[in-house]
Amino acid sequence: MTHSTPPVRRHLGERALGRIFLTPSFTFMALIALFPVGYAVVMSLYAIRGFHQDFVGIRNYVDALTDVNFYSAAWNTLVFTVASVTLEFVIGMAFALIMHNAFVGRGLTRVVILIPWVVPTAVAAQVWRYMFDPNPGFVNSVLGTDVNWLRDPGWAMVGMITADVWKTAPFVALLLLAGLQTIPRDFYEAARVDGANAVQRFFSVTLPLLRPAIVVALLFRTVDALRMFDFAYIFAGYSNSLATLSVYAQRYLVAEPLLGYANALSTITFVLVMVVGLLFISRMGHSMLGDTVREVKR
Amino acid sequence: MTAAHDAQPTLARRRRRSAVGNIAKLVGLALVLVWCLFPFLWMAMTSLRGGAIALTDPNILVGPFRMTNYQDVVGQGFHFALRNSLIVAGVTTLIGIPVAALAGYTLARLPLRGRYLLLAATLVVTLFPPVALVNPLYRLYLEIHELVGINLLNSYAGMIIPYVALTLPLSIFILTTFFASIPTEIEEAAKADGATPWQAFSKIVVPLAAPGVGAAAILTFVYATNEFLLAYSFAPRDLNVQTVPVFIGTFERVGYENPIGQVMAASVLVSIPLVIFVLIMQRWIVSGLTSGAVKG
C-alpha cells in the first residue's frame, strides 16, 4: 500500500518540472522568432509610407516577382549557395581526411582550422576584399592577372565565394572529422582484405557511414548561404551586382525604405530558406532525430 | 596479378609506400596550414605598413612599418566595440546555455508528450533568416519604448534577446543528444538514494553533460561575436553599444584616404582574443561535436 504513493507523486513532479523547464526557451523562441515572422507577413500585405498603412493584398509579392532586380538577387543567392557549399564540402572533406590520417600535427591543425571559423565574417570579408582590391592588387600580383576583382560582377562573385569558402570550409572539415572518428577501423580492414583500394574504400565505407555528418554539414551550410548578408554587403554594399536576397530585402528596409515591399522580400527569403531547410531535416529525421527520440523512449 | 600483389605486398614495398604516403600527408597538412593562416599574416603585415606604400605596393614585406594604424583605430574607439562585443556575447551565452540546458534535459529525460515534435520545432527555428526579423523587431522595440519606456534600440538587451532566441535551438539540440546519451541508471540510483528530481538533474546530470554544455557555449559565443545584420540594424553608430563586426564592416573612409591599414589593425585586435579563445576551448568543441550533434 505505502509503495504505490511515491512513484505517482514523482511522476507528477517530473511532468510539472518538464513544463517549467521548457517554458523559458519556448517563450524566447516564440517571441523573437515566430511572432516577428508573423508580423512580417502581415506587414508585407500593406503599402507603408511613414504612419500610413494601406492594405494592398499580395501586390508587394506581385511587384517582387515581376522585378528584374529580384531575380538578379535570387540568381546571385543561388550561384553563391551552390558554388560555395560545393567547394566547402569538397575542400572540407579533403581537410578532414588529411587530418584524420595525419600521424603528426593533428592537434595543431585542428586548432589552426578553427581560427578562420571563429573570426567574425566582417573581418574575413574585409581581409579578402582588400586582398582582391586591385589597389594595392595583392591577388593580381600573386596570380599575375590584371582583373578588377571588385568592379567586375563575375570576378567579384568569385572573390566573395573564395572568402566564404576560406571562412567555413574548416568548420565543415571539423564536422566531417568528428564523423570520421566514429567509423570503426575494422570496416577499413575488412574492405582491404576484400581487395578494395583507397578510392573504393572511400566510396564504399567512408561516404555511406559519414552520411549523418554530411547531411548536418550540408544543412547548416546551405541554410547559412541562402540567408547570407555580411559578405555581399561588405564586398559591394547594396549594389545589384552581388546583392543576395537578404541584402536586397535590407536595401528596402534601410537604404530606400519601402517597408511593405521589404517585408514581402524578407518573407520570400524566409519561405525559401524554410523549404530547403525542411527538405534536409526531413531526410535527417530518421538518422538523427529518430535516434535521439528512440534512445529517449527506451 | 596486381590484385595478388596488392593483397600481399612485400615488406620493402609496404615501407616505400608508407614513406611516400607520409610525405604526401605532410604536404597536405602544410597546405591546410598555409591556406588557413596566410590571410592572417597578410592582415598583420598590412596593419603595420604605414603611409601610401601600403596602398600601392602589393608586396607585404615592403615597409616602412609603424604602429600608427593601431593608434588611429584605438583613437576611433575600437576598444569600446571590442568591449561591447565581449559583453553581448558573454551575456548571451550566460543566459542562453542554462535555459537551453533545462529544455535539453526535459526533452531527453522527462515524460512529455510530443517530444519529437518539440525537438523538430526547435530545429526549424535555426532556419530563421535574420533579415525577416529586422523590421518586425525594430517596430516591436519602438512600441515597447512607447508603451513601457524601455528603449531596446541602441542597447545591449536589444541584441542579446534575439541572439539568445536564435542560438537556443542548436544549443537545445546538442544538449538533448548529450543528455540522452547519459545512462538513466545513474540518475535512478541517485533518486533511489533520496535525491529530488532537481537534485538528480543539478548534481548528477549536469556535470556529466559538461562537454555538450561546453560545445553549445562555444557555438553561442561565436555566433554572438559574429552576427552582423541585427547588430547593424539595431545598434549601428553608437560606440556605447556598437559591436566589432559593425565597426569593422562599416568602416568609414575619412576623406580620400583608403583605410586599409586601419581596418587590418582592427582585424588583428579582434583576432588575437578570439585565437586565444580557440586555443583554450578547442578540446571542448571537438569532443562536444564528436559525441553530440554529428554522432555517426
Side-chain angles (χ1 to χ4, degrees):
Chain A
M1 283 304 252
T2 44
H3 272 267
S4 63
T5 355
V8 171
R9 192 183 292 155
R10 194 193 68 189
H11 199 65
L12 284 174
E14 284 187 336
R15 287 229 162 154
L17 202 63
R19 290 205 193 93
I20 296 167
F21 280 7
L22 283 182
T23 308
S25 29
F26 280 81
T27 312
F28 256 112
M29 290 190 289
L31 272 178
I32 299 303
L34 287 181
F35 168 71
V37 168
Y39 199 4
V41 173
V42 172
M43 277 192 286
S44 71
L45 302 176
Y46 287 82
I48 302 169
R49 283 177 217 86
F51 291 103
H52 286 281
Q53 304 196 354
D54 297 318
F55 184 81
V56 292
I58 59 162
R59 207 178 71 201
N60 287 321
Y61 290 92
V62 175
D63 285 352
L65 296 173
T66 51
D67 178 357
V68 179
N69 289 333
F70 168 78
Y71 286 101
S72 130
W75 176 249
N76 288 338
T77 309
L78 182 74
V79 171
F80 174 79
T81 303
V82 171
S84 64
V85 173
T86 308
L87 283 168
E88 278 156 24
F89 179 68
V90 171
I91 294 173
M93 181 68 90
F95 278 19
L97 289 171
I98 288 170
M99 280 188 294
H100 189 57
N101 293 307
F103 52 100
V104 285
R106 199 190 288 188
L108 173 74
T109 326
R110 222 184 256 167
V111 173
V112 167
I113 66 165
L114 279 170
I115 294 174
W117 168 68
V118 84
V119 161
T121 313
V123 170
Q126 288 283 26
V127 170
W128 282 93
R129 191 177 75 96
Y130 277 121
M131 287 207 287
F132 278 113
D133 195 333
N135 174 25
F138 176 75
V139 170
N140 270 341
S141 82
V142 168
L143 299 179
T145 49
D146 186 20
V147 171
N148 194 335
W149 292 93
L150 300 183
R151 287 287 150 76
D152 181 297
W155 289 118
M157 179 63 87
V158 171
M160 186 165 86
I161 291 167
T162 309
D164 185 64
V165 169
W166 175 77
K167 175 155 165 55
T168 34
F171 189 62
V172 174
L174 200 73
L175 289 172
L176 297 179
L177 177 68
L180 282 175
Q181 287 177 344
T182 63
I183 301 177
R185 288 260 158 206
D186 324 2
F187 286 40
Y188 290 101
E189 290 306 320
R192 210 187 293 253
V193 169
D194 289 344
N197 62 34
V199 177
Q200 288 166 332
R201 288 199 297 272
F202 176 74
F203 282 102
S204 63
V205 178
T206 309
L207 270 189
L209 289 173
L210 207 54
R211 201 175 151 265
I214 291 173
V215 176
V216 171
L218 289 182
L219 165 72
F220 289 154
R221 287 310 311 143
T222 308
V223 165
D224 264 356
L226 286 174
R227 59 191 176 188
M228 188 274 284
F229 176 82
D230 348 28
F231 277 116
Y233 179 72
I234 291 169
F235 263 71
Y238 290 122
S239 88
N240 287 326
S241 62
L242 285 187
T244 57
L245 286 170
S246 287
V247 172
Y248 194 55
Q250 179 79 356
R251 174 174 148 190
Y252 289 107
L253 287 173
V254 179
E256 313 159 33
L258 271 177
L259 295 179
Y261 188 58
N263 278 303
L265 290 170
S266 72
T267 304
I268 293 172
T269 310
F270 167 74
V271 171
L272 180 77
V273 174
M274 274 297 155
V275 168
V276 174
L278 288 175
L279 281 177
F280 272 104
I281 291 180
S282 67
R283 301 214 63 187
M284 184 164 91
H286 304 287
S287 65
M288 284 184 55
L289 280 178
D291 275 358
T292 309
V293 172
R294 229 173 294 137
E295 255 173 72
V296 165
K297 277 185 181 152
R298 232 187 292 136
Chain B
M1 274 299 270
T2 46
H5 269 278
D6 276 350
Q8 283 177 314
T10 63
L11 202 61
R13 268 192 63 162
R14 198 181 283 177
R15 264 200 202 133
R16 203 176 333 123
R17 197 191 286 171
S18 76
V20 172
N22 286 347
I23 290 167
K25 283 173 193 169
L26 274 181
V27 172
L29 277 180
L31 276 176
V32 175
L33 295 187
V34 169
W35 165 251
C36 289
L37 291 183
F38 183 77
F40 289 103
L41 178 69
W42 189 87
M43 175 170 104
M45 295 306 286
T46 306
S47 73
L48 292 169
R49 299 175 74 197
I53 193 86
L55 306 179
T56 51
D57 192 337
N59 186 347
I60 52 171
L61 299 175
V62 172
F65 298 109
R66 306 191 198 112
M67 293 299 282
T68 45
N69 290 322
Y70 288 88
Q71 288 160 1
D72 291 348
V73 161
V74 172
Q76 292 173 44
F78 182 70
H79 52 298
F80 292 118
L82 210 53
R83 175 203 65 188
N84 296 335
S85 270
L86 199 69
I87 292 175
V88 169
V91 176
T92 301
T93 312
L94 286 179
I95 297 175
I97 295 306
V99 169
L102 293 178
Y105 177 73
T106 308
L107 292 173
R109 277 287 198 271
L110 299 182
L112 207 77
R113 246 171 285 148
R115 196 196 307 271
Y116 182 89
L117 214 65
L118 286 173
L119 201 56
T122 49
L123 211 53
V124 168
V125 177
T126 52
L127 306 180
F128 279 63
V131 75
L133 305 180
V134 171
N135 192 234
L137 281 184
Y138 195 91
R139 294 190 143 209
L140 187 67
Y141 287 179
L142 285 181
E143 258 161 50
I144 289 175
H145 185 45
E146 224 164 78
L147 292 174
V148 199
I150 300 170
N151 192 3
L152 290 169
L153 290 172
N154 284 314
S155 77
Y156 290 142
M159 289 177 275
I160 291 168
I161 295 166
Y163 290 176
V164 169
L166 291 173
T167 52
L168 267 176
L170 192 58
S171 302
I172 291 176
F173 192 69
I174 292 176
L175 290 168
T176 304
T177 53
F178 239 92
F179 284 129
S181 70
I182 298 169
T184 11
E185 289 78 17
I186 303 177
E187 256 172 285
E188 293 302 324
K191 283 179 191 161
D193 289 344
T196 64
W198 168 256
Q199 283 173 329
F201 170 69
S202 62
K203 297 257 166 69
I204 310 293
V205 180
V206 169
L208 286 172
V213 173
I218 294 164
L219 288 171
T220 303
F221 190 87
V222 168
Y223 175 89
T225 47
N226 218 323
E227 207 284 330
F228 180 66
L229 181 58
L230 295 179
Y232 174 48
S233 306
F234 299 150
R237 289 277 171 266
D238 187 348
L239 266 172
N240 288 315
V241 286
Q242 187 187 53
T243 59
V244 166
V246 182
F247 186 100
I248 288 178
T250 60
F251 209 93
E252 294 284 337
R253 282 164 192 260
V254 182
Y256 290 104
E257 206 194 324
N258 190 339
I260 177 169
Q262 293 163 27
V263 174
M264 292 310 125
S267 300
V268 170
L269 288 178
V270 66
S271 298
I272 290 169
L274 288 171
V275 168
I276 295 170
F277 176 75
V278 167
L279 288 176
I280 298 170
M281 301 301 260
Q282 63 102 4
R283 259 172 214 293
W284 292 90
I285 183 96
V286 175
S287 68
L289 287 173
T290 313
S291 32
V294 287
K295 184 170 45 176

